[in-house]
Amino acid sequence: MFKNILKLLTLVAACSTVVNAAATLDYTKEGVLRKEDKCDINFVNFGIEADISGLKVKKENNSDGSFNLSIAELKNGNVGLRSNESGYTFDENKETKDYVKITQSGNDLKDFEVKPASKGKFSLVIKNLKSCDGLSIKQTFKDDALMNTYLYYSNVTPEDINHPFNIVEFGPSSNDVPYDTLSWNMNTGLDAVREKCRIFIDFRETNNVGGFHWVWYVSTDTINADKCDNPTFYNIAKKSYASMEVMDELFGDHYNGYVIKREGKENGHMDGILVDQKYLIEIYQNGCDEQSKDQVICTISSNKKLTYKEFTEEFVKNCSSVIENPEEEVKWSVDENGVTAKFDTYSLNITNYNRGALPKNENESVSYKEFKAANSSGIARFNVCTKCGDGSYIGEKCKCEPCPENCTKCTDGKTCTECATGSELVDGKCKIITTTTTTTTTTTTTTTTAVEETETVGVLTEKEEPTESVDVNDEEETSDINDSDDEEEEVTDTPTEVKEEETDEVEEATEAEEQEEEKEPVQITKVVTIKRPKTIKKCLIKKN
């Protein structure tokens, strides 16, 4: 029985070989190559030095001549990569495998298992391998890392970079309020610094501030096998930031980050110095809306201390966030209380903050807090306050915004306190005063009707006189016949004309021809048509 157990133990030992920790490391552009016992493995983004040489690697032979390769104690860089407050989550049990990429001689391997371990680590089993030749294991990252940006005031890159520093040595404000928060792509950024400089990520201990995570550093102090200087390192690394707009606006080309790191904070850090500039002025502003009063809104860097005139000129050039139109003429003044800039619709009052001092007259220069030990830099901090003119208010980022329509004064974009002429204040709004006028129009209509009358004069015999029985008087309400107006007519062979009163008009007369019968009287038929205009006033019709 005892002999059988001994044989079984011997068989297990023969089938399982543990690779000891006496491995050597080569830092290449492809990663950290771990060499030992004819099983060389390339590791990417798992750390340096003991993080790789101290891994527990074991082969387990299969009956078909292949083997399974298990690797333990790998550091999981995705755990707590970003704080939970940023909305980042990572499930070690389900997601770890998604961010491990295994290749052999350029071909992807999919037959492997991932098992989470304690304290932010995991183990890996690669199945059915024939050899270790060309084997590479790479850790990728689920999300970008958030980096707060700071300036090392002494303006000299520290000799020992990869460790925590006292926040009071950094700007802005020495109160842990960054110049900006940037999003750094861990995948492209780490690939770039490794391939160009052979710089690698250095994982240290774990930390619970801002959520459980690994402390790590990337700088010219992490291997840097190609001896890249700081400007080269920064120029490579900054290309993986989503946006450098704020930093470029604040410092232009003078800022150089010398380390990207995650320590005991919710976000990571990028610390830097100024290149080719010795003196720095930071401008702060009273908090507006979501803007912190400890947030730097602009900086003025120079190689010498600025005079009063130089300060006013550089302020206009560098602090566009508080100046609406840099081309607008400004009236500057200075006294013991500070420097004032007056524009057409607003004014700026600049005062001392907590380091350095403004000139007190036009002949003085700016005073700086200088770092004697570094013998290379000085810092001054000033505060600016914006005062808006009538018809505007302090809006987002402390800029003057127009009041609502018809407001001459307001507290914000919705609340008026005074109104323009012709408007009245109702519930914080200026409403136009309106007046209603009613007009009544009376129309009188006069209608004129033309009446056409036709008179027929009957058959007349020779020597018989026609008589008219019609007489019109326009001024009376009735018409009477006036026999005295009749005139005697003479019968001839030609048509007879009939003469009437002034108001009568003869339009047509017809006379029958004389009959040839002897001794018979001549008959004449005469038709007289008379048109008489009638004016009916007050819309009344008068009947004759």
Side-chain angles (χ1 to χ4, degrees):
M1 182 71 175
F2 177 78
K3 291 182 179 180
N4 291 334
I5 295 175
L6 183 61
K7 288 181 180 179
L8 178 62
L9 293 174
T10 303
L11 179 63
V12 171
C15 294
S16 177
T17 303
V18 177
V19 180
N20 60 45
T24 60
L25 304 177
D26 283 349
Y27 294 96
T28 72
K29 294 183 181 298
E30 288 74 34
V32 181
L33 183 60
R34 185 182 188 277
K35 298 179 179 180
E36 186 178 16
D37 290 347
K38 298 180 181 180
C39 189
D40 298 345
I41 308 171
N42 184 61
F43 291 90
V44 184
N45 298 336
F46 286 101
I48 59 174
E49 299 173 348
D51 289 341
I52 306 301
S53 61
L55 292 173
K56 296 179 181 179
V57 180
K58 183 173 64 172
K59 288 183 178 180
E60 295 179 352
N61 296 324
N62 299 322
S63 60
D64 61 355
S66 66
F67 63 90
N68 297 338
L69 184 68
S70 63
I71 305 169
E73 299 296 312
L74 292 164
K75 292 184 176 180
N76 194 338
N78 280 290
V79 174
L81 176 62
R82 292 168 58 162
S83 68
N84 293 333
E85 292 184 3
S86 69
Y88 178 83
T89 58
F90 185 81
D91 190 333
E92 295 180 68
N93 296 314
K94 297 180 179 179
E95 294 186 89
T96 301
K97 185 175 180 179
D98 297 337
Y99 298 96
V100 176
K101 309 299 179 185
I102 302 176
T103 61
Q104 188 168 32
S105 301
N107 298 314
D108 293 338
L109 299 183
K110 301 296 183 181
D111 191 7
F112 66 92
E113 293 179 354
V114 171
K115 296 180 180 179
S118 61
K119 298 180 180 180
K121 296 181 180 181
F122 70 95
S123 62
L124 183 68
V125 178
I126 308 173
K127 298 181 178 181
N128 302 316
L129 292 174
K130 298 295 184 180
S131 71
C132 292
D133 295 345
L135 188 63
S136 181
I137 305 169
K138 182 177 183 178
Q139 176 171 225
T140 61
F141 298 91
K142 179 180 179 179
D143 211 340
D144 295 351
L146 296 180
M147 295 289 128
N148 293 339
T149 55
Y150 297 93
L151 180 69
Y152 191 38
Y153 278 148
S154 64
N155 214 29
V156 176
T157 302
E159 292 184 3
D160 184 11
I161 297 175
N162 298 339
H163 68 86
F165 287 78
N166 194 327
I167 190 61
V168 298
E169 300 180 60
F170 293 81
S173 308
S174 300
N175 60 7
D176 208 18
V177 176
Y179 292 108
D180 194 20
T181 299
L182 308 178
S183 181
W184 194 58
N185 189 315
M186 294 278 286
N187 296 307
T188 62
L190 290 175
D191 283 351
V193 296
R194 184 187 70 252
E195 292 168 2
K196 300 290 179 62
C197 298
R198 284 191 286 170
I199 290 175
F200 303 83
I201 188 169
D202 181 9
F203 287 104
R204 299 288 181 87
E205 70 279 5
T206 57
N207 191 286
N208 289 305
V209 178
F212 180 83
H213 65 274
W214 286 99
V215 173
W216 53 264
Y217 296 88
V218 179
S219 73
T220 54
D221 268 6
T222 48
I223 305 304
N224 193 13
D226 289 330
K227 306 300 180 183
C228 288
D229 59 13
N230 191 75
T232 301
F233 162 74
Y234 176 65
N235 287 331
I236 295 170
K238 75 175 184 178
K239 293 178 182 179
S240 293
Y241 282 112
S243 174
M244 293 290 293
E245 182 178 356
V246 174
M247 295 300 290
D248 289 342
E249 183 179 342
L250 289 173
F251 300 105
D253 296 331
H254 300 301
Y255 182 87
N256 262 240
Y258 59 79
V259 63
I260 298 172
K261 61 184 179 180
R262 176 80 186 278
E263 293 176 327
K265 300 289 182 181
E266 292 182 353
N267 293 335
H269 278 209
M270 178 174 68
D271 299 336
I273 61 173
L274 292 182
V275 177
D276 300 326
Q277 301 286 280
K278 292 183 177 181
Y279 296 93
L280 178 69
I281 297 173
E282 292 177 342
I283 304 295
Y284 298 80
Q285 190 171 33
N286 292 336
C288 302
D289 294 335
E290 296 180 359
Q291 177 177 306
S292 169
K293 65 182 180 63
D294 294 319
Q295 178 69 56
V296 170
I297 62 168
C298 61
T299 64
I300 302 171
S301 59
S302 61
N303 273 319
K304 68 182 188 69
K305 298 179 180 180
L306 297 180
T307 64
Y308 165 74
K309 184 178 180 181
E310 290 170 338
F311 170 75
T312 59
E313 292 173 348
E314 292 298 319
F315 186 92
V316 173
K317 292 179 182 178
N318 292 277
C319 297
S320 58
S321 62
V322 293
I323 296 178
E324 296 181 8
N325 180 13
E327 303 300 325
E328 182 181 348
E329 185 177 354
V330 55
K331 296 180 180 179
W332 289 95
S333 61
V334 58
D335 56 29
E336 293 182 354
N337 297 319
V339 177
T340 301
K342 289 186 177 181
F343 298 84
D344 288 341
T345 58
Y346 66 99
S347 62
L348 302 174
N349 187 32
I350 306 169
T351 56
N352 295 326
Y353 190 22
N354 57 18
R355 287 193 181 184
L358 286 161
K360 296 179 180 178
N361 57 62
E362 296 182 359
N363 297 320
E364 290 186 359
S365 298
V366 176
S367 298
Y368 296 81
K369 164 67 176 177
E370 298 187 63
F371 296 88
K372 300 296 183 181
N375 194 27
S376 62
S377 66
I379 180 72
R381 295 173 178 163
F382 305 133
N383 185 73
V384 61
C385 180
T386 303
K387 182 179 180 181
C388 300
D390 290 347
S392 59
Y393 67 96
I394 293 289
E396 185 179 358
K397 294 187 178 180
C398 301
K399 273 198 167 185
C400 294
E401 302 288 346
C403 289
E405 188 176 3
N406 300 318
C407 285
T408 55
K409 291 184 180 180
C410 60
T411 56
D412 53 41
K414 297 180 180 179
T415 307
C416 300
T417 55
E418 289 186 14
C419 298
T421 304
S423 300
E424 60 181 347
L425 187 63
V426 179
D427 296 331
K429 300 183 183 297
C430 290
K431 297 185 177 181
I432 298 176
I433 301 173
T434 58
T435 302
T436 304
T437 303
T438 304
T439 304
T440 303
T441 304
T442 303
T443 304
T444 302
T445 304
T446 302
T447 304
T448 302
T449 304
V451 180
E452 182 179 302
E453 296 183 3
T454 302
E455 294 185 1
T456 303
V457 181
V459 177
L460 302 178
T461 59
E462 193 173 6
K463 293 184 180 179
E464 191 174 38
E465 296 179 1
T467 58
E468 290 184 357
S469 60
V470 180
D471 186 22
V472 179
N473 187 350
D474 291 335
E475 296 180 358
E476 298 297 326
E477 294 183 0
T478 60
S479 300
D480 299 326
I481 299 175
N482 191 346
D483 294 333
S484 63
D485 292 337
D486 292 347
E487 293 183 359
E488 188 174 343
E489 292 183 344
E490 183 178 355
V491 179
T492 63
D493 293 335
T494 59
T496 304
E497 294 181 2
V498 180
K499 296 181 179 180
E500 302 292 339
E501 293 283 301
E502 290 179 348
T503 57
D504 296 336
E505 180 180 353
V506 180
E507 290 183 348
E508 182 181 359
T510 304
E511 184 179 339
E513 295 183 355
E514 183 178 348
Q515 304 295 324
E516 293 182 355
E517 296 180 3
E518 292 181 358
K519 296 181 182 180
E520 290 185 1
V522 177
Q523 293 182 347
I524 300 172
T525 301
K526 181 167 70 174
V527 179
V528 180
T529 300
I530 302 172
K531 289 184 179 180
R532 299 184 181 186
K534 296 291 184 178
T535 300
I536 301 173
K537 300 179 179 179
K538 300 182 181 178
C539 299
L540 297 177
I541 299 176
K542 295 182 180 180
K543 299 182 180 179
N544 294 329

